[in-house]
Amino acid sequence: MTEQPARRLLLVHAHPDDESINNGVTMARYAAEGAHVTLVTCTLGERGEVIPPELAHLTGAALGGHRRDELAAAMRALGVDDVRLLGGPGRFADSGMMGLPDNEDPGCLWQADVDRAAELLVDVIREVRPQVLVTYDPDGGYGHPDHIQAHRIAMRAVELADEAGCPVAKVYWNRVPRTVAEDAFARLGEALPGLPFDEAAGVEDVPGVVADELITTEIRGDASARAAKAAAMRAHATQITVAEPYFVLSNALAQPLFTTEYYELVRGERAGDADARESDLFAGIEIEEAS
């Protein structure tokens, strides 16, 4: 029987590609260090907009299947081999952008019963026993219904797991400090004439930007982790075009590819000096090493 790694990290995301954009460095770093990294993705992103013209024919289930393959390739780049779809492939459909008729599809994630969906995630928590969980803030970073619902499901699952005797020691939300975003966009403005992109996004287009003082934790990766993140993002070719250190989504607006990733601790004890940021998601957790 294979022994379970001592450190175990669970990430909960809405669609394929969200994990690589938000947490690619973090996932690559911990996987390389021997931690068990589990990704739960809630939908296959069947309603995503496709960038490459040669793939524009992909829609619905065909797009979902293709994005599942992209996700598998991205996880190989990050060194992560525990990837799950909440409730199994196709259990919850992509809800589309907020305010569209797609939101009313009874099979979409936005219409899911949060408690029932959370129980599916609790099953993963019981099996994996993660000490750390990462997900979105209550707004889902930028108001997408699936991101908001993924947040609700993850936070409810943590409550239910605690009641079931499987506590998660620390919960983090994905964040970007405002000064970091502003500095990165200033550099982007200077670099834009030399990039294969015509226009730049703005700080308001980056999910999870908050005041610097809300940031509790920053994760820096080595060159290998940074390269793995870029490779993982490239694997999501229907959704992302990368020209390091920048990328675009389907709106064709350039934005920075962040190689330091930031978090806000919202459950659990912050380690070390309250005025200093943690540099390890597992900081302060008593880890029982496998014998």
Side-chain angles (χ1 to χ4, degrees), residues 60-194:
L63 177 57
H66 189 89
R67 293 189 68 179
R68 186 180 183 186
D69 291 341
E70 290 181 339
L71 179 62
M75 293 304 96
R76 288 194 294 272
L78 297 178
V80 173
D81 57 15
D82 187 4
V83 183
R84 320 216 183 172
L85 295 167
L86 186 66
R91 177 65 177 269
F92 300 107
D94 186 343
S95 307
M97 299 300 288
M98 186 67 84
L100 295 180
D102 297 332
N103 302 166
E104 304 305 316
D105 178 353
C108 76
L109 187 68
W110 186 238
Q111 294 297 326
D113 180 275
V114 170
D115 275 8
R116 291 181 182 177
E119 285 286 5
L120 297 172
L121 186 57
V122 171
D123 289 342
V124 179
I125 293 173
R126 285 196 184 100
E127 176 189 344
V128 176
R129 299 279 178 148
Q131 296 103 341
V132 177
L133 182 146
V134 170
T135 192
Y136 312 104
D137 65 16
D139 187 50
Y142 69 108
H144 191 294
D146 287 335
H147 288 235
I148 294 171
Q149 196 76 322
H151 160 85
R152 293 172 177 169
I153 291 166
M155 298 306 292
R156 181 59 177 148
V158 169
E159 294 176 351
L160 295 174
D162 192 50
E163 294 170 5
C166 302
V168 178
K170 299 175 84 174
V171 176
Y172 291 93
W173 293 342
N174 296 307
R175 293 300 198 189
V176 178
R178 182 165 295 279
T179 60
V180 169
E182 289 172 347
D183 290 348
F185 275 98
R187 292 192 297 274
L188 169 56
E190 296 173 356
L192 191 61

Side-chain angles (χ1 to χ4, degrees), residues 13 15-22 41 67 70-71 147 232-233 236 239-240 249:
H13 277 289
H15 317 101
D17 81 358
D18 295 325
E19 80 298 322
S20 297
I21 296 170
N22 287 280
T41 301
R67 293 189 68 179
E70 290 181 339
L71 179 62
H147 288 235
M233 290 176 63
H236 291 289
Q239 308 299 303
I240 306 171
L249 300 171

Side-chain angles (χ1 to χ4, degrees), residues 22-33 78 217-230 244 257-263 278-281:
N22 287 280
N23 312 114
V25 164
T26 301
M27 297 173 76
R29 169 185 156 174
Y30 284 111
E33 290 179 359
L78 297 178
T217 311
E218 61 181 64
I219 300 300
R220 298 178 180 272
D222 59 14
S224 177
R226 296 193 296 270
K229 174 170 182 167
E244 290 181 79
L257 191 163
F258 293 108
T259 54
T260 297
E261 294 167 348
Y262 300 88
Y263 300 93
E278 298 173 320
S279 59
D280 179 9
L281 297 178

